[in-house]
Structure formats: structure tokens, C-alpha cells
Amino acid sequence: MKALLTMNNPAEWAEDLWTIYTGFMVEQGELGHNPRASDMFCTFRELVFFFQKLEERKAA
């Protein structure tokens, strides 16, 4: 896990997560209704917050 987290800086991870989530949301029109969409948003949001906190710690 540590090796994975050091591959990019936390800000890049957060940006990549929003890119992935955006692509997922764009495809929802073709994929149809997903009752778990709000759960997935919360998961992505928590991951972004995690990487933002890492970035804050790194800057301190």
C-alpha cells in the first residue's frame, strides 16, 4: 500500500479520483439508473478528503 501511495503526490491522486468519478458519471446515462450512485459518490469524496489530508500533512 505504501508503494502505491508514493507513486504520485496526494494532489495528483485527488485529481485522478475526480477524473475517474467524472467518467463514471458521464457513463451513467448509458448504463442506466444505479441505486448505489450516492454511495459511490461518498466513497470517492472520502478518498479525495484522505488525499487532501495527506497533502496538508506533507506541507506542514
Short mmCIF file of all heavy atoms in Angstrom, two decimals:
data_model
loop_
_atom_site.label_atom_id
_atom_site.label_comp_id
_atom_site.label_asym_id
_atom_site.label_seq_id
_atom_site.Cartn_x
_atom_site.Cartn_y
_atom_site.Cartn_z
N MET A 1 0.82 -1.19 0.00
CA MET A 1 0.00 0.00 0.00
C MET A 1 0.87 1.25 0.00
O MET A 1 0.58 2.20 -0.70
CB MET A 1 -0.93 -0.05 1.22
CG MET A 1 -1.79 1.16 1.34
SD MET A 1 -3.06 1.18 0.10
CE MET A 1 -4.40 1.78 1.00
N LYS A 2 1.92 1.25 0.81
CA LYS A 2 2.79 2.41 0.89
C LYS A 2 3.41 2.72 -0.47
O LYS A 2 3.50 3.89 -0.86
CB LYS A 2 3.88 2.17 1.94
CG LYS A 2 4.72 3.39 2.21
CD LYS A 2 5.71 3.13 3.33
CE LYS A 2 6.53 4.37 3.60
NZ LYS A 2 7.46 4.17 4.70
N ALA A 3 3.83 1.69 -1.19
CA ALA A 3 4.41 1.90 -2.52
C ALA A 3 3.39 2.54 -3.46
O ALA A 3 3.73 3.43 -4.24
CB ALA A 3 4.93 0.59 -3.09
N LEU A 4 2.15 2.10 -3.38
CA LEU A 4 1.10 2.66 -4.22
C LEU A 4 0.88 4.14 -3.91
O LEU A 4 0.78 4.96 -4.81
CB LEU A 4 -0.21 1.89 -4.02
CG LEU A 4 -1.42 2.39 -4.79
CD1 LEU A 4 -1.19 2.26 -6.29
CD2 LEU A 4 -2.66 1.63 -4.39
N LEU A 5 0.85 4.48 -2.63
CA LEU A 5 0.61 5.87 -2.24
C LEU A 5 1.77 6.79 -2.61
O LEU A 5 1.56 7.99 -2.78
CB LEU A 5 0.35 5.95 -0.73
CG LEU A 5 -0.95 5.34 -0.27
CD1 LEU A 5 -1.04 5.37 1.24
CD2 LEU A 5 -2.14 6.04 -0.89
N THR A 6 2.97 6.26 -2.75
CA THR A 6 4.11 7.11 -3.09
C THR A 6 4.31 7.25 -4.59
O THR A 6 5.21 7.97 -5.02
CB THR A 6 5.40 6.58 -2.44
OG1 THR A 6 5.65 5.24 -2.91
CG2 THR A 6 5.30 6.60 -0.93
N MET A 7 3.49 6.61 -5.39
CA MET A 7 3.64 6.70 -6.85
C MET A 7 3.35 8.11 -7.37
O MET A 7 3.95 8.55 -8.33
CB MET A 7 2.74 5.69 -7.55
CG MET A 7 3.18 4.25 -7.33
SD MET A 7 2.04 3.05 -8.04
CE MET A 7 2.18 3.39 -9.77
N ASN A 8 2.42 8.80 -6.75
CA ASN A 8 2.06 10.17 -7.11
C ASN A 8 1.95 10.97 -5.83
O ASN A 8 1.81 10.42 -4.75
CB ASN A 8 0.70 10.23 -7.84
CG ASN A 8 0.76 9.70 -9.24
OD1 ASN A 8 1.78 9.75 -9.90
ND2 ASN A 8 -0.34 9.16 -9.70
N ASN A 9 1.95 12.29 -5.98
CA ASN A 9 1.73 13.09 -4.79
C ASN A 9 0.22 13.13 -4.51
O ASN A 9 -0.60 12.85 -5.39
CB ASN A 9 2.35 14.50 -4.90
CG ASN A 9 1.65 15.37 -5.90
OD1 ASN A 9 0.42 15.48 -5.90
ND2 ASN A 9 2.42 16.04 -6.74
N PRO A 10 -0.16 13.44 -3.28
CA PRO A 10 -1.58 13.40 -2.90
C PRO A 10 -2.48 14.28 -3.76
O PRO A 10 -3.62 13.90 -4.05
CB PRO A 10 -1.57 13.87 -1.44
CG PRO A 10 -0.23 13.49 -0.93
CD PRO A 10 0.69 13.69 -2.10
N ALA A 11 -2.00 15.43 -4.18
CA ALA A 11 -2.82 16.30 -5.03
C ALA A 11 -3.14 15.63 -6.36
O ALA A 11 -4.26 15.75 -6.88
CB ALA A 11 -2.13 17.63 -5.25
N GLU A 12 -2.17 14.91 -6.93
CA GLU A 12 -2.41 14.20 -8.18
C GLU A 12 -3.41 13.07 -7.99
O GLU A 12 -4.24 12.82 -8.86
CB GLU A 12 -1.09 13.65 -8.74
CG GLU A 12 -0.17 14.74 -9.26
CD GLU A 12 1.19 14.20 -9.66
OE1 GLU A 12 1.49 13.01 -9.38
OE2 GLU A 12 1.95 14.97 -10.25
N TRP A 13 -3.31 12.37 -6.85
CA TRP A 13 -4.28 11.31 -6.57
C TRP A 13 -5.70 11.87 -6.50
O TRP A 13 -6.63 11.29 -7.06
CB TRP A 13 -3.95 10.60 -5.25
CG TRP A 13 -2.89 9.55 -5.36
CD1 TRP A 13 -1.62 9.63 -4.90
CD2 TRP A 13 -3.01 8.27 -5.98
NE1 TRP A 13 -0.94 8.47 -5.19
CE2 TRP A 13 -1.77 7.62 -5.84
CE3 TRP A 13 -4.04 7.61 -6.64
CZ2 TRP A 13 -1.54 6.34 -6.34
CZ3 TRP A 13 -3.82 6.33 -7.14
CH2 TRP A 13 -2.57 5.71 -6.98
N ALA A 14 -5.86 12.98 -5.81
CA ALA A 14 -7.19 13.60 -5.69
C ALA A 14 -7.73 13.99 -7.05
O ALA A 14 -8.90 13.74 -7.36
CB ALA A 14 -7.13 14.80 -4.76
N GLU A 15 -6.88 14.58 -7.88
CA GLU A 15 -7.31 14.97 -9.23
C GLU A 15 -7.69 13.75 -10.06
O GLU A 15 -8.70 13.75 -10.76
CB GLU A 15 -6.19 15.76 -9.91
CG GLU A 15 -6.55 16.29 -11.27
CD GLU A 15 -7.65 17.35 -11.24
OE1 GLU A 15 -7.75 18.09 -10.26
OE2 GLU A 15 -8.42 17.40 -12.22
N ASP A 16 -6.89 12.69 -9.96
CA ASP A 16 -7.19 11.46 -10.70
C ASP A 16 -8.52 10.85 -10.25
O ASP A 16 -9.29 10.34 -11.07
CB ASP A 16 -6.07 10.43 -10.53
CG ASP A 16 -4.80 10.83 -11.26
OD1 ASP A 16 -4.84 11.73 -12.12
OD2 ASP A 16 -3.74 10.24 -10.95
N LEU A 17 -8.78 10.88 -8.95
CA LEU A 17 -10.04 10.34 -8.45
C LEU A 17 -11.24 11.10 -9.02
O LEU A 17 -12.23 10.48 -9.41
CB LEU A 17 -10.08 10.40 -6.92
CG LEU A 17 -9.28 9.32 -6.21
CD1 LEU A 17 -9.17 9.65 -4.74
CD2 LEU A 17 -9.93 7.97 -6.42
N TRP A 18 -11.15 12.43 -9.07
CA TRP A 18 -12.27 13.21 -9.64
C TRP A 18 -12.42 12.92 -11.13
O TRP A 18 -13.54 12.88 -11.65
CB TRP A 18 -12.10 14.69 -9.37
CG TRP A 18 -12.51 15.06 -7.99
CD1 TRP A 18 -11.74 15.68 -7.05
CD2 TRP A 18 -13.78 14.83 -7.37
NE1 TRP A 18 -12.46 15.83 -5.89
CE2 TRP A 18 -13.70 15.32 -6.05
CE3 TRP A 18 -14.97 14.25 -7.79
CZ2 TRP A 18 -14.77 15.25 -5.16
CZ3 TRP A 18 -16.03 14.18 -6.89
CH2 TRP A 18 -15.93 14.68 -5.60
N THR A 19 -11.31 12.69 -11.82
CA THR A 19 -11.38 12.34 -13.25
C THR A 19 -12.10 11.00 -13.42
O THR A 19 -12.97 10.85 -14.29
CB THR A 19 -9.97 12.29 -13.85
OG1 THR A 19 -9.37 13.58 -13.72
CG2 THR A 19 -10.02 11.89 -15.32
N ILE A 20 -11.74 10.02 -12.60
CA ILE A 20 -12.39 8.71 -12.67
C ILE A 20 -13.87 8.83 -12.35
O ILE A 20 -14.73 8.28 -13.06
CB ILE A 20 -11.70 7.72 -11.70
CG1 ILE A 20 -10.29 7.43 -12.17
CG2 ILE A 20 -12.51 6.44 -11.57
CD1 ILE A 20 -9.43 6.73 -11.12
N TYR A 21 -14.19 9.57 -11.30
CA TYR A 21 -15.59 9.72 -10.90
C TYR A 21 -16.38 10.44 -11.99
O TYR A 21 -17.52 10.06 -12.29
CB TYR A 21 -15.70 10.47 -9.57
CG TYR A 21 -17.12 10.61 -9.12
CD1 TYR A 21 -17.80 9.53 -8.59
CD2 TYR A 21 -17.81 11.81 -9.26
CE1 TYR A 21 -19.12 9.64 -8.19
CE2 TYR A 21 -19.13 11.92 -8.87
CZ TYR A 21 -19.78 10.84 -8.33
OH TYR A 21 -21.09 10.95 -7.96
N THR A 22 -15.80 11.46 -12.58
CA THR A 22 -16.48 12.20 -13.65
C THR A 22 -16.79 11.27 -14.82
O THR A 22 -17.90 11.28 -15.36
CB THR A 22 -15.63 13.39 -14.12
OG1 THR A 22 -15.42 14.26 -13.00
CG2 THR A 22 -16.29 14.15 -15.24
N GLY A 23 -15.82 10.45 -15.21
CA GLY A 23 -16.05 9.49 -16.29
C GLY A 23 -17.15 8.51 -15.94
O GLY A 23 -18.00 8.17 -16.78
N PHE A 24 -17.16 8.07 -14.70
CA PHE A 24 -18.21 7.17 -14.23
C PHE A 24 -19.58 7.83 -14.37
O PHE A 24 -20.54 7.22 -14.83
CB PHE A 24 -17.93 6.78 -12.78
CG PHE A 24 -19.06 6.06 -12.11
CD1 PHE A 24 -19.32 4.74 -12.39
CD2 PHE A 24 -19.86 6.73 -11.20
CE1 PHE A 24 -20.38 4.09 -11.76
CE2 PHE A 24 -20.91 6.09 -10.57
CZ PHE A 24 -21.17 4.76 -10.86
N MET A 25 -19.69 9.08 -13.95
CA MET A 25 -20.97 9.79 -14.00
C MET A 25 -21.42 10.04 -15.44
O MET A 25 -22.61 9.95 -15.75
CB MET A 25 -20.89 11.11 -13.23
CG MET A 25 -20.78 10.92 -11.74
SD MET A 25 -22.04 9.82 -11.03
CE MET A 25 -23.53 10.74 -11.35
N VAL A 26 -20.49 10.34 -16.33
CA VAL A 26 -20.82 10.55 -17.73
C VAL A 26 -21.44 9.29 -18.33
O VAL A 26 -22.39 9.35 -19.10
CB VAL A 26 -19.57 10.99 -18.52
CG1 VAL A 26 -19.80 10.91 -20.01
CG2 VAL A 26 -19.16 12.40 -18.11
N GLU A 27 -20.92 8.14 -17.94
CA GLU A 27 -21.41 6.87 -18.47
C GLU A 27 -22.75 6.44 -17.88
O GLU A 27 -23.39 5.53 -18.40
CB GLU A 27 -20.37 5.76 -18.24
CG GLU A 27 -19.13 5.92 -19.07
CD GLU A 27 -19.43 5.89 -20.57
OE1 GLU A 27 -20.18 5.00 -21.02
OE2 GLU A 27 -18.90 6.76 -21.28
N GLN A 28 -23.19 7.06 -16.81
CA GLN A 28 -24.43 6.64 -16.16
C GLN A 28 -25.63 6.74 -17.10
O GLN A 28 -26.57 5.97 -16.97
CB GLN A 28 -24.68 7.45 -14.89
CG GLN A 28 -23.79 7.04 -13.74
CD GLN A 28 -23.93 5.56 -13.42
OE1 GLN A 28 -24.96 5.11 -12.97
NE2 GLN A 28 -22.87 4.82 -13.68
N GLY A 29 -25.59 7.68 -18.03
CA GLY A 29 -26.68 7.80 -18.99
C GLY A 29 -26.85 6.53 -19.80
O GLY A 29 -27.97 6.09 -20.08
N GLU A 30 -25.74 5.92 -20.18
CA GLU A 30 -25.79 4.69 -20.97
C GLU A 30 -25.97 3.45 -20.10
O GLU A 30 -26.56 2.47 -20.52
CB GLU A 30 -24.52 4.56 -21.81
CG GLU A 30 -24.44 5.57 -22.92
CD GLU A 30 -23.21 5.35 -23.79
OE1 GLU A 30 -22.73 4.20 -23.88
OE2 GLU A 30 -22.75 6.33 -24.38
N LEU A 31 -25.45 3.50 -18.89
CA LEU A 31 -25.52 2.34 -18.00
C LEU A 31 -26.87 2.21 -17.31
O LEU A 31 -27.21 1.14 -16.83
CB LEU A 31 -24.41 2.42 -16.96
CG LEU A 31 -22.98 2.38 -17.49
CD1 LEU A 31 -21.99 2.63 -16.37
CD2 LEU A 31 -22.70 1.04 -18.16
N GLY A 32 -27.60 3.30 -17.22
CA GLY A 32 -28.90 3.26 -16.56
C GLY A 32 -28.79 3.63 -15.09
O GLY A 32 -27.72 3.89 -14.55
N HIS A 33 -29.93 3.64 -14.45
CA HIS A 33 -30.00 4.02 -13.04
C HIS A 33 -29.21 3.07 -12.16
O HIS A 33 -29.28 1.85 -12.31
CB HIS A 33 -31.46 4.04 -12.58
CG HIS A 33 -31.61 4.29 -11.11
ND1 HIS A 33 -31.36 5.53 -10.55
CD2 HIS A 33 -31.95 3.47 -10.10
CE1 HIS A 33 -31.57 5.45 -9.24
NE2 HIS A 33 -31.93 4.20 -8.94
N ASN A 34 -28.44 3.64 -11.24
CA ASN A 34 -27.69 2.83 -10.29
C ASN A 34 -28.11 3.27 -8.88
O ASN A 34 -27.81 4.39 -8.47
CB ASN A 34 -26.19 3.04 -10.48
CG ASN A 34 -25.36 2.16 -9.57
OD1 ASN A 34 -25.85 1.60 -8.61
ND2 ASN A 34 -24.10 2.03 -9.91
N PRO A 35 -28.78 2.41 -8.15
CA PRO A 35 -29.23 2.80 -6.80
C PRO A 35 -28.08 3.05 -5.83
O PRO A 35 -28.28 3.66 -4.80
CB PRO A 35 -30.08 1.61 -6.35
CG PRO A 35 -29.68 0.48 -7.21
CD PRO A 35 -29.18 1.07 -8.50
N ARG A 36 -26.87 2.64 -6.17
CA ARG A 36 -25.71 2.85 -5.30
C ARG A 36 -24.91 4.09 -5.69
O ARG A 36 -23.84 4.33 -5.13
CB ARG A 36 -24.80 1.63 -5.35
CG ARG A 36 -25.45 0.39 -4.75
CD ARG A 36 -24.50 -0.78 -4.62
NE ARG A 36 -23.31 -0.38 -3.90
CZ ARG A 36 -22.08 -0.71 -4.29
NH1 ARG A 36 -21.88 -1.43 -5.36
NH2 ARG A 36 -21.03 -0.32 -3.59
N ALA A 37 -25.41 4.90 -6.59
CA ALA A 37 -24.65 6.07 -7.07
C ALA A 37 -24.26 7.01 -5.93
O ALA A 37 -23.14 7.51 -5.90
CB ALA A 37 -25.44 6.81 -8.15
N SER A 38 -25.17 7.24 -5.00
CA SER A 38 -24.84 8.15 -3.89
C SER A 38 -23.77 7.53 -2.98
O SER A 38 -22.91 8.24 -2.47
CB SER A 38 -26.08 8.52 -3.09
OG SER A 38 -26.64 7.38 -2.50
N ASP A 39 -23.79 6.22 -2.80
CA ASP A 39 -22.76 5.55 -2.01
C ASP A 39 -21.39 5.69 -2.68
O ASP A 39 -20.38 5.91 -2.01
CB ASP A 39 -23.07 4.06 -1.82
CG ASP A 39 -24.30 3.82 -0.97
OD1 ASP A 39 -24.65 4.71 -0.17
OD2 ASP A 39 -24.90 2.74 -1.13
N MET A 40 -21.38 5.55 -4.00
CA MET A 40 -20.12 5.68 -4.73
C MET A 40 -19.58 7.10 -4.64
O MET A 40 -18.39 7.30 -4.48
CB MET A 40 -20.31 5.25 -6.18
CG MET A 40 -20.42 3.76 -6.33
SD MET A 40 -20.50 3.29 -8.04
CE MET A 40 -21.92 2.24 -8.00
N PHE A 41 -20.49 8.09 -4.73
CA PHE A 41 -20.04 9.46 -4.58
C PHE A 41 -19.39 9.65 -3.22
O PHE A 41 -18.31 10.25 -3.12
CB PHE A 41 -21.20 10.46 -4.74
CG PHE A 41 -20.82 11.85 -4.33
CD1 PHE A 41 -20.05 12.63 -5.18
CD2 PHE A 41 -21.18 12.36 -3.10
CE1 PHE A 41 -19.66 13.91 -4.81
CE2 PHE A 41 -20.80 13.63 -2.71
CZ PHE A 41 -20.03 14.41 -3.58
N CYS A 42 -20.02 9.16 -2.17
CA CYS A 42 -19.47 9.31 -0.81
C CYS A 42 -18.11 8.63 -0.70
O CYS A 42 -17.19 9.16 -0.06
CB CYS A 42 -20.43 8.75 0.22
SG CYS A 42 -21.92 9.75 0.39
N THR A 43 -17.94 7.48 -1.32
CA THR A 43 -16.67 6.78 -1.30
C THR A 43 -15.59 7.61 -2.00
O THR A 43 -14.49 7.79 -1.47
CB THR A 43 -16.80 5.40 -1.98
OG1 THR A 43 -17.77 4.64 -1.27
CG2 THR A 43 -15.47 4.67 -2.00
N PHE A 44 -15.90 8.11 -3.19
CA PHE A 44 -14.94 8.95 -3.91
C PHE A 44 -14.61 10.20 -3.11
O PHE A 44 -13.46 10.61 -3.01
CB PHE A 44 -15.46 9.34 -5.30
CG PHE A 44 -15.15 8.33 -6.36
CD1 PHE A 44 -16.07 7.34 -6.68
CD2 PHE A 44 -13.96 8.35 -7.05
CE1 PHE A 44 -15.79 6.40 -7.66
CE2 PHE A 44 -13.67 7.42 -8.02
CZ PHE A 44 -14.59 6.43 -8.33
N ARG A 45 -15.62 10.81 -2.53
CA ARG A 45 -15.42 12.03 -1.74
C ARG A 45 -14.50 11.75 -0.55
O ARG A 45 -13.58 12.52 -0.28
CB ARG A 45 -16.76 12.56 -1.26
CG ARG A 45 -16.64 13.89 -0.52
CD ARG A 45 -17.93 14.31 0.07
NE ARG A 45 -18.28 13.33 1.11
CZ ARG A 45 -19.38 13.33 1.81
NH1 ARG A 45 -20.30 14.22 1.58
NH2 ARG A 45 -19.61 12.43 2.73
N GLU A 46 -14.72 10.65 0.13
CA GLU A 46 -13.87 10.30 1.27
C GLU A 46 -12.43 10.04 0.83
O GLU A 46 -11.48 10.41 1.53
CB GLU A 46 -14.43 9.10 2.02
CG GLU A 46 -15.72 9.39 2.75
CD GLU A 46 -15.58 10.51 3.77
OE1 GLU A 46 -14.57 10.54 4.52
OE2 GLU A 46 -16.47 11.38 3.81
N LEU A 47 -12.26 9.40 -0.31
CA LEU A 47 -10.91 9.19 -0.83
C LEU A 47 -10.22 10.51 -1.16
O LEU A 47 -9.04 10.70 -0.87
CB LEU A 47 -10.95 8.28 -2.06
CG LEU A 47 -11.15 6.81 -1.79
CD1 LEU A 47 -11.44 6.07 -3.10
CD2 LEU A 47 -9.95 6.21 -1.10
N VAL A 48 -10.96 11.42 -1.77
CA VAL A 48 -10.40 12.74 -2.08
C VAL A 48 -10.01 13.45 -0.79
O VAL A 48 -8.91 14.01 -0.68
CB VAL A 48 -11.38 13.59 -2.91
CG1 VAL A 48 -10.91 15.04 -2.99
CG2 VAL A 48 -11.52 13.01 -4.31
N PHE A 49 -10.87 13.42 0.23
CA PHE A 49 -10.55 14.04 1.51
C PHE A 49 -9.29 13.42 2.12
O PHE A 49 -8.45 14.12 2.69
CB PHE A 49 -11.71 13.92 2.49
CG PHE A 49 -12.89 14.79 2.17
CD1 PHE A 49 -14.11 14.53 2.74
CD2 PHE A 49 -12.80 15.87 1.29
CE1 PHE A 49 -15.21 15.34 2.47
CE2 PHE A 49 -13.89 16.68 1.01
CZ PHE A 49 -15.10 16.41 1.61
N PHE A 50 -9.16 12.11 2.00
CA PHE A 50 -7.98 11.41 2.51
C PHE A 50 -6.72 11.97 1.87
O PHE A 50 -5.74 12.30 2.55
CB PHE A 50 -8.11 9.90 2.26
CG PHE A 50 -6.86 9.13 2.51
CD1 PHE A 50 -6.48 8.83 3.81
CD2 PHE A 50 -6.08 8.68 1.46
CE1 PHE A 50 -5.31 8.10 4.05
CE2 PHE A 50 -4.92 7.97 1.69
CZ PHE A 50 -4.53 7.67 2.99
N PHE A 51 -6.72 12.09 0.54
CA PHE A 51 -5.54 12.59 -0.14
C PHE A 51 -5.30 14.07 0.13
O PHE A 51 -4.15 14.52 0.19
CB PHE A 51 -5.61 12.30 -1.64
CG PHE A 51 -5.36 10.84 -1.95
CD1 PHE A 51 -6.38 10.02 -2.39
CD2 PHE A 51 -4.11 10.29 -1.75
CE1 PHE A 51 -6.15 8.69 -2.64
CE2 PHE A 51 -3.88 8.94 -2.00
CZ PHE A 51 -4.89 8.13 -2.45
N GLN A 52 -6.35 14.83 0.33
CA GLN A 52 -6.19 16.23 0.70
C GLN A 52 -5.53 16.34 2.08
O GLN A 52 -4.67 17.20 2.29
CB GLN A 52 -7.52 16.96 0.68
CG GLN A 52 -8.03 17.20 -0.73
CD GLN A 52 -9.44 17.78 -0.75
OE1 GLN A 52 -10.22 17.64 0.18
NE2 GLN A 52 -9.78 18.42 -1.87
N LYS A 53 -5.93 15.48 3.01
CA LYS A 53 -5.32 15.49 4.34
C LYS A 53 -3.85 15.09 4.26
O LYS A 53 -3.01 15.67 4.97
CB LYS A 53 -6.08 14.56 5.28
CG LYS A 53 -7.42 15.09 5.70
CD LYS A 53 -8.18 14.10 6.56
CE LYS A 53 -9.58 14.58 6.82
NZ LYS A 53 -10.39 13.60 7.56
N LEU A 54 -3.54 14.13 3.42
CA LEU A 54 -2.13 13.76 3.23
C LEU A 54 -1.33 14.94 2.70
O LEU A 54 -0.20 15.18 3.13
CB LEU A 54 -2.00 12.58 2.26
CG LEU A 54 -2.32 11.19 2.76
CD1 LEU A 54 -2.13 10.18 1.65
CD2 LEU A 54 -1.43 10.83 3.94
N GLU A 55 -1.90 15.65 1.74
CA GLU A 55 -1.22 16.81 1.17
C GLU A 55 -0.99 17.89 2.25
O GLU A 55 0.09 18.48 2.31
CB GLU A 55 -2.03 17.39 0.02
CG GLU A 55 -1.36 18.53 -0.71
CD GLU A 55 -0.14 18.13 -1.51
OE1 GLU A 55 -0.01 16.94 -1.88
OE2 GLU A 55 0.71 18.98 -1.76
N GLU A 56 -1.98 18.10 3.11
CA GLU A 56 -1.84 19.09 4.19
C GLU A 56 -0.71 18.67 5.15
O GLU A 56 0.09 19.50 5.57
CB GLU A 56 -3.14 19.22 4.96
CG GLU A 56 -4.24 19.91 4.18
CD GLU A 56 -5.59 19.85 4.88
OE1 GLU A 56 -5.65 19.39 6.06
OE2 GLU A 56 -6.59 20.25 4.27
N ARG A 57 -0.65 17.41 5.49
CA ARG A 57 0.40 16.92 6.39
C ARG A 57 1.78 17.05 5.74
O ARG A 57 2.76 17.36 6.41
CB ARG A 57 0.16 15.47 6.76
CG ARG A 57 -0.98 15.29 7.71
CD ARG A 57 -1.14 13.85 8.08
NE ARG A 57 -2.31 13.68 8.93
CZ ARG A 57 -2.78 12.51 9.27
NH1 ARG A 57 -2.20 11.41 8.86
NH2 ARG A 57 -3.85 12.45 10.03
N LYS A 58 1.84 16.79 4.45
CA LYS A 58 3.08 16.89 3.71
C LYS A 58 3.58 18.32 3.69
O LYS A 58 4.77 18.58 3.79
CB LYS A 58 2.86 16.36 2.28
CG LYS A 58 4.09 16.16 1.49
CD LYS A 58 3.74 15.55 0.15
CE LYS A 58 4.95 15.40 -0.72
NZ LYS A 58 4.60 14.86 -2.02
N ALA A 59 2.66 19.28 3.57
CA ALA A 59 3.02 20.69 3.50
C ALA A 59 3.43 21.24 4.86
O ALA A 59 4.14 22.24 4.94
CB ALA A 59 1.85 21.50 2.94
N ALA A 60 2.96 20.60 5.93
CA ALA A 60 3.24 21.12 7.29
C ALA A 60 4.64 20.81 7.75
O ALA A 60 5.38 20.11 7.31
CB ALA A 60 2.24 20.54 8.27
#
